[in-house]
């Protein structure tokens, strides 16, 4: 039985990771509940309501001595990262480093880090992008994720800490908070179910690689079990345009709703799709949920909350 801490474990992706890791392990959640919810945490899991940047969070890692730290907590908004770069860096870099130092004192410890595929690579030169693609982020958010990976590489060399960095594409699914800086699927589902129109930022021709949250949780589970070191893309290698997605959800939920267009957002690239062949080869991971099935599961969850 491994001792595992999942930061951000009360949130959208983190709570699905907790569900995947819970059987056979002692799982604790470290979350400040700024965006997560206690409703997402099973009763058998201990919640430590702490900010990842705090001395108390570092002390908890030092005292608990987990075998594995799954770092899902983050400032996730591309827009906010461009408007408030010091906040993004403080949370995504300082918060990570605050936990890595005490974690490295536990012999054989591993950190599974949720990074970003599209945001790290920026405007791609090849499609889909492999892990060897140049790192040319278009946003401070993407930069902060790459800096986090560089800290992990340093910790591996200097302190012997094992790490796996999962470069996620655009994650969607049940439990995603439709407020604030959620993904477009969550936002569109909520607005359409409420009988409202939806707005597409930019031309709508921008593409994203949408990966289902359950598949992401499985990638984390395999990373914990196989303890492979390095960076791995976790996506579907398939592009879907935002305008296609908007019209698809409109037809499913409220065909009378209108789709309008607004200004594009700073820091967002035009096309984003990542190659998952290395994850298939080394982790034995492949996406199993097609977009149509994932949308049905996601929509059913939002409808159940109405």
């Amino acid at each position: 039985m491994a001792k595992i801490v999942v930061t951000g474990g009360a949130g959208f992706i983190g709570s699905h990771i907790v569900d995947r890791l819970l059987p056979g392990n002692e799982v604790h959640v470290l979350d400040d509940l700024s965006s997560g919810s206690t409703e997402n945490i099973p009763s058998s899991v201990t919640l430590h309501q702490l900010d990842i940047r705090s001395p108390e969070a570092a002390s908890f890692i030092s005292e608990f001595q987990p075998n594995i730290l799954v770092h899902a907590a983050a400032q996730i908004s591309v827009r906010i990262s461009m408007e408030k770069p010091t906040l993004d860096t403080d949370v995504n870099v300082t918060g990570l480093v605050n936990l890595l130092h005490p974690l490295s004192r536990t012999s054989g410890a591993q950190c599974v880090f949720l990074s970003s595929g599209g945001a790290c690579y920026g405007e791609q030169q090849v499609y889909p992008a492999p892990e060897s693609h140049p790192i040319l982020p278009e946003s401070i958010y993407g930069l902060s994720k790459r800096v986090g990976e560089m800290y992990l590489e340093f910790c591996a060399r200097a302190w012997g800490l094992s790490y796996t960095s999962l470069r996620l594409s655009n994650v969607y699914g049940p439990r995603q908070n439709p407020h604030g800086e959620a993904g477009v699927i969550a936002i569109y589902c909520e607005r359409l179910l409420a009988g409202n129109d939806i707005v597409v930022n930019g031309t709508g021709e921008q593409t994203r690689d949408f990966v289902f949250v359950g598949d992401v949780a499985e990638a984390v589970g395999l990373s914990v079990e196989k303890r492979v070191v390095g960076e791995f893309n976790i996506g579907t290698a398939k592009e879907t345009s935002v305008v296609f997605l908007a019209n698809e959800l409109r037809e499913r939920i409220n065909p009378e709703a209108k789709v309008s267009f607004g200004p594009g957002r700073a820091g967002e690239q035009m096309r984003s799709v990542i190659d998952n062949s290395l994850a298939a080869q080394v982790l034995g991971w492949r996406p199993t949920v097609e977009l149509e099935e994932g949308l049905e599961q996601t929509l059913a969850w939002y409808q159940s909350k109405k």
Side-chain angles (χ1 to χ4, degrees):
M1 175 183 289
K3 294 167 63 178
I4 303 175
V5 171
V6 181
T7 68
F12 162 48
I13 301 175
S15 64
H16 285 275
I17 292 171
V18 170
D19 291 343
R20 168 62 175 81
L21 297 177
L22 193 54
N25 295 305
E26 180 184 354
V27 180
H28 290 236
V29 165
L30 195 161
D31 198 307
D32 65 2
L33 300 182
S34 58
S35 60
S37 170
T38 55
E39 295 179 0
N40 293 334
I41 306 174
S43 57
S44 59
V45 172
T46 302
L47 168 65
H48 305 266
Q49 190 173 344
L50 298 168
D51 188 312
I52 58 173
R53 298 166 291 180
S54 68
E56 292 79 8
S59 295
F60 164 65
I61 296 297
S62 182
E63 294 166 7
F64 183 61
Q65 295 187 316
N67 308 110
I68 297 153
L69 173 70
V70 179
H71 191 60
Q75 190 297 114
I76 63 171
S77 167
V78 167
R79 179 183 62 82
I80 288 177
S81 80
M82 300 298 283
E83 294 175 354
K84 301 178 180 179
T86 54
L87 172 65
D88 185 89
T89 304
D90 190 29
V91 175
N92 290 352
V93 179
T94 304
L96 172 65
V97 176
N98 188 49
L99 304 182
L100 287 182
H101 191 231
L103 180 69
S104 67
R105 301 188 190 118
T106 300
S107 178
Q110 176 195 19
C111 178
V112 179
F113 177 59
L114 299 196
S115 186
S116 173
C120 277
Y121 299 132
E123 291 296 352
Q124 294 174 209
Q125 300 173 8
V126 294
Y127 305 89
E131 287 82 357
S132 59
H133 190 282
I135 304 296
L136 299 169
E138 297 284 326
S139 65
I140 298 295
Y141 168 73
L143 178 61
S144 71
K145 286 296 186 179
R146 178 53 188 154
V147 171
E149 291 182 344
M150 295 174 71
Y151 268 100
L152 288 165
E153 293 163 1
F154 172 83
C155 293
R157 289 185 289 106
W159 301 333
L161 180 67
S162 177
Y163 78 95
T164 307
S165 179
L166 301 180
R167 293 177 176 170
L168 310 183
S169 61
N170 288 68
V171 187
Y172 73 99
R175 302 180 196 163
Q176 189 167 26
N177 187 338
H179 304 288
E181 299 299 326
V184 292
I185 291 177
I187 293 170
Y188 291 165
C189 281
E190 186 198 44
R191 290 194 59 81
L192 290 166
L193 285 169
N196 297 319
D197 298 332
I198 53 178
V199 178
V200 174
N201 295 314
T203 65
E205 297 304 318
Q206 60 267 38
T207 63
R208 296 294 181 263
D209 181 340
F210 292 101
V211 63
F212 190 66
V213 67
D215 283 334
V216 171
E218 180 61 20
V220 173
L222 290 170
S223 299
V224 168
E225 292 160 9
K226 299 196 174 185
R227 297 181 71 86
V228 296
V229 174
E231 295 79 33
F232 300 90
N233 286 338
I234 302 298
T236 67
K238 298 177 182 178
E239 289 181 83
T240 301
S241 74
V242 175
V243 71
F244 170 86
L245 188 68
N247 286 316
E248 180 74 11
L249 288 170
R250 181 179 65 86
E251 289 299 321
R252 288 170 181 259
I253 302 171
N254 180 10
E256 301 303 315
K258 295 180 180 179
V259 176
S260 59
F261 295 84
R265 291 183 171 179
E268 293 189 346
Q269 63 260 43
M270 191 63 189
R271 293 177 65 188
S272 178
V273 59
I274 55 179
D275 183 353
N276 58 28
S277 56
L278 184 63
Q281 177 185 347
V282 179
L283 284 173
W285 178 88
R286 291 177 177 82
T288 61
V289 180
E290 294 290 339
L291 183 61
E292 182 175 351
E293 178 188 349
L295 290 178
E296 289 179 2
Q297 291 189 40
T298 304
L299 179 56
W301 183 83
Y302 285 114
Q303 288 172 325
S304 74
K305 294 298 177 181
K306 291 297 180 183

